[in-house]
Amino acid sequence: MNYALAIHGGAGTISKQHITPDKEKEYLAVLKEAVLFGASILKSGGSSLDVVEKTVIFLEDIPLFNAGKGSVFTHHGHHEMDASIMCGQTMQAGAVAAVRNVKNPVMLSRKVMDESGFVLLVGRGAEDFAHHCALDFREDEYFFTQYRYAQWQMLKNSEVAEVDHFDNNKYGTVGAVALDNNGNLAAATSTGGLTNKKFGRVGDTSVIGAGTYANNNTCAISCTGYGEYFIRNVVAHDVSALMEYKNMTLADATDVVVHHKLKKAGGEGGLIAIDRQGNICMPFNTQGMYRGCANAKSENIQVAIY
């Protein structure tokens, strides 16, 4: 067995002074639970594609993160969510953007990949397809959290679209990458976007090659950060390209992209990555990133924030 799994719950200016000890313990406990959940499926022979989907669904259902149930409010007081998934074995991918009331957007992304014949569906059309697939929908109240509502109240009369934490600038995307026992890689990502976003803004999460990418020849990547920079720099694919065309290791490629190219461009955030040998990298150029990982070589579950 040579399975490996990594997850993230957002990166940003995350400092101990802004997180109570109890809240820190809560985040770490949830991250560990998510890693254990995904790793148990891999250990029992599950596919990397199923694992990244199910693990991101797990994270979408937790209101601590800006994805699914805990998504932020748009300028008009709605929740518009983006998600994507990619299979490293087939290079097939599915993504959705600006969907409302879909309980688990990453599940819809998987349906887009498997059943639509397309890669990216947006807005009302994506929701129609979700109904066609008989996926679960929820009323607005399901996605409501007092914390997200308070953030929106602070910004709704302004022209500002903010990352999801007004007191500690966290980019609240969630994601998972995995290598299964058959040597197949996969990646999935999901987000609620920016608080007070307007005009149907879409970030990198649903852009294959920017926020999500998987290729059995190189690596699987899921990103978190200020999406516009990740789109402009095609961050997820850039890591893969450096490995494929310059024969870089995963560690060197992710270091170049996150700490040099992205940072030089003004982009903040991070990513999780696994290569075909099961090596894991989780670099970020911010103060912290909610993250965790596990692999077949070690029984230890690693979770961290700073």
Side-chain angles (χ1 to χ4, degrees), residues 37-251:
F37 171 76
S40 67
I41 302 173
L42 286 170
K43 191 173 183 178
S44 63
S47 74
S48 57
L49 194 60
D50 287 344
V51 167
V52 296
E53 179 189 12
K54 291 176 180 178
T55 304
V56 169
I57 288 171
F58 181 97
L59 294 169
E60 286 176 336
D61 289 345
I62 296 171
L64 288 173
F65 303 107
N66 175 19
K69 186 177 177 65
S71 293
V72 299
F73 288 80
T74 68
H75 178 69
H76 295 293
H78 305 305
H79 307 279
E80 292 182 356
M81 298 166 286
D82 309 331
S84 63
I85 192 167
M86 187 165 183
C87 174
Q89 180 183 18
T90 64
M91 301 295 288
Q92 289 184 308
V96 295
V99 296
R100 293 174 55 184
N101 300 106
V102 178
K103 180 177 180 288
N104 293 111
V106 74
M107 189 180 296
L108 178 55
S109 294
R110 177 73 183 270
K111 290 291 186 181
V112 172
M113 183 183 77
D114 289 343
E115 300 179 19
S116 76
F118 305 120
V119 172
L120 175 61
L121 300 182
V122 302
R124 184 66 61 84
E127 293 159 17
D128 289 344
F129 183 66
H131 282 294
H132 172 77
C133 296
L135 295 186
D136 287 342
F137 278 71
R138 292 290 187 272
E139 297 297 326
D140 290 344
E141 289 75 15
Y142 171 82
F143 302 94
F144 178 95
T145 59
Q146 187 60 45
Y147 183 58
R148 307 297 187 203
Y149 183 76
Q151 294 172 340
W152 175 51
Q153 292 300 301
M154 291 184 66
L155 296 175
K156 70 176 184 177
N157 295 319
S158 74
E159 296 299 313
V160 177
E162 286 281 4
V163 293
D164 74 324
H165 282 51
F166 48 65
D167 55 2
N168 64 332
N169 289 338
K170 185 181 79 69
Y171 307 110
T173 307
V174 303
V177 293
L179 172 73
D180 62 30
N181 289 324
N182 292 318
N184 294 318
L185 292 162
T189 315
S190 181
T191 188
L194 301 180
T195 297
N196 204 44
K197 63 184 177 182
K198 299 180 180 180
F199 312 123
R201 180 266 183 187
V202 174
D204 65 304
T205 292
S206 56
V207 180
I208 299 301
T212 303
Y213 193 73
N215 183 336
N216 270 12
N217 293 324
T218 54
C219 61
I221 304 283
S222 175
C223 300
T224 171
Y226 206 102
E228 280 66 17
Y229 293 94
F230 283 74
I231 294 172
R232 292 172 192 144
N233 291 276
V234 202
V235 167
H237 182 265
D238 199 23
V239 173
S240 176
L242 288 171
M243 296 177 68
E244 184 172 3
Y245 303 133
K246 298 192 74 173
N247 294 315
M248 283 191 177
T249 65
L250 183 70

Side-chain angles (χ1 to χ4, degrees), residues 15-54:
S15 60
K16 280 184 175 292
Q17 65 183 11
H18 289 132
I19 301 178
T20 66
D22 286 344
K23 182 62 71 174
E24 181 177 337
K25 288 179 182 178
E26 185 179 9
Y27 271 109
L28 291 172
V30 165
L31 290 169
K32 184 175 182 179
E33 189 177 357
V35 174
L36 284 168
F37 171 76
S40 67
I41 302 173
L42 286 170
K43 191 173 183 178
S44 63
S47 74
S48 57
L49 194 60
D50 287 344
V51 167
V52 296
E53 179 189 12
K54 291 176 180 178

